[in-house]
Amino acid sequence: MEVVICKSKGEASKLAAEMITKAVKANPKTVLGLATGSTPVGMYDEMAKAVKAGEVSYKQVRSWNLDEYYGLPPTHDQSYRYFMNKNLFEKIDIDLANTHVLDGLAADPEKECADYEKQIKDAGGIDIQVLGIGSDGHIAFNEPGTSLTSRTSVVYLTPSTIKDNARLFFGGDESKVPTRALSMGVGTICEAKKIILLAFGENKQDALLGMVEGGITQFCTASILQMHPDVWVFCDEAAAAKLKLKEYYAWRSATKLGK
Ligand code: PGA
């Protein structure tokens, strides 16, 4: 796991976007796994800038998103489909038909999840998976206590995630946050060939510590990424503050990135 500790969120977002731009230039048919939340917005803006500058095209890229709230229609302004359209898809030249988000209104959600897994497999798997991390160490909506080999399924949000998500979204009203979601599983995520995880701010310190330097445990589902051969963590100094080997990670990653 490479931990790139940046002076600011802006710098980290830029570096992560550069890694994606480079990969899509090398393989215009890259399959992306995408994430929502406040964290990747800056990176998505940087990706859009590269498209505008004519550096890269997403015309042949296909994407699968991590999760969607159960019970929200794609048109709902707090749905993850809506979020992706606004924050990325409308800003780049991707074909919307090539973008996939789980259907929060699926009549048979378990079938929806199984079909989603099959679509990803049929696409040849995810080349690059973008992740944020919850303050409780979750990846996608895989909360503490989730099997580290879980597959895409209906999941149940913890009170801490509901609180975090209400703080940034849903006008601050916890009662409006759905309590369930459809989410890629931990096992599904781990099958991505490369993973880019972003983490910013003091609120992510403990989660990052658990993920990078803690034991592998279902109480911090992100910790399973220690077993993955190609994970790049782009974070700011605030999120990295509790890491024991932070100076070492910063030096090693900067050397590898040629910075
Ligand atoms: P955030 O959420 O980007 O809004 O902090 C991250 C997550 O829950 O994965």
Side-chain angles (χ1 to χ4, degrees):
M1 187 183 284
E2 289 303 332
V3 184
V4 187
I5 303 168
C6 299
K7 290 253 170 305
S8 66
K9 184 173 165 173
E11 185 190 339
S13 301
K14 225 179 227 171
L15 285 177
E18 270 172 25
M19 194 170 261
I20 295 180
T21 300
K22 207 169 145 195
V24 175
K25 275 165 88 169
N27 173 17
K29 293 188 170 178
T30 296
V31 176
L32 291 178
L34 297 172
T36 50
S38 56
T39 306
V41 173
M43 184 188 76
Y44 291 155
D45 285 343
E46 293 294 333
M47 286 161 67
K49 270 190 210 162
V51 173
K52 261 211 180 102
E55 264 182 66
V56 65
S57 168
Y58 285 76
K59 280 204 174 101
Q60 299 181 76
V61 167
R62 283 174 296 167
S63 72
W64 275 266
N65 257 77
L66 287 172
D67 41 23
E68 179 60 282
Y69 288 116
Y70 181 59
L72 291 195
T75 48
H76 191 288
D77 65 0
Q78 297 297 328
S79 76
Y80 284 170
R81 160 53 79 181
Y82 187 91
F83 178 99
M84 288 310 299
N85 288 354
K86 290 283 160 224
N87 287 287
L88 183 66
F89 300 150
E90 286 171 9
K91 297 181 176 177
I92 60 176
D93 59 349
I94 200 164
D95 180 349
L96 263 192
N98 287 339
T99 68
H100 305 82
V101 181
L102 284 151
D103 178 3
L105 289 186
D108 184 345
E110 291 298 351
K111 182 177 180 302
E112 168 73 8
C113 292
D115 290 350
Y116 204 69
E117 290 261 345
K118 187 169 181 310
Q119 286 169 20
I120 294 170
K121 207 169 173 198
D122 291 348
I126 286 171
D127 294 310
I128 303 177
Q129 176 67 58
V130 174
L131 294 175
I133 184 169
S135 60
D136 63 1
H138 70 216
I139 44 174
F141 271 132
N142 296 294
E143 301 287 34
T146 302
S147 161
L148 298 179
T149 59
S150 70
R151 308 305 304 185
T152 305
S153 63
V154 177
V155 298
Y156 295 73
L157 276 51
T158 55
S160 105
T161 294
I162 290 172
K163 199 166 160 201
D164 281 349
N165 289 9
R167 196 158 35 84
L168 296 161
F169 304 98
F170 292 96
D173 185 350
E174 280 183 40
S175 71
K176 292 213 166 82
V177 182
T179 54
R180 282 178 290 174
L182 278 63
S183 174
M184 261 194 218
V186 182
T188 321
I189 291 168
C190 288
E191 284 167 9
K193 289 162 202 130
K194 184 185 200 76
I195 291 179
I196 291 178
L197 184 143
L198 307 167
F200 305 126
E202 212 180 311
N203 193 36
K204 301 294 170 73
Q205 278 175 2
D206 290 325
L208 214 59
L209 180 63
M211 174 181 83
V212 181
E213 296 180 343
I216 295 175
T217 166
Q218 61 179 354
F219 293 101
C220 173
T221 53
S223 63
I224 193 65
L225 299 178
Q226 292 173 24
M227 299 292 288
H228 192 284
D230 193 7
V231 177
W232 284 80
V233 179
F234 292 91
C235 61
D236 61 3
E237 288 173 349
K242 289 191 177 169
L243 298 179
K244 290 183 201 72
L245 291 184
K246 58 178 183 260
E247 280 85 13
Y248 170 68
Y249 306 139
W251 165 72
R252 187 177 68 185
S253 61
T255 308
K256 285 194 183 181
L257 288 172
K259 300 283 175 195

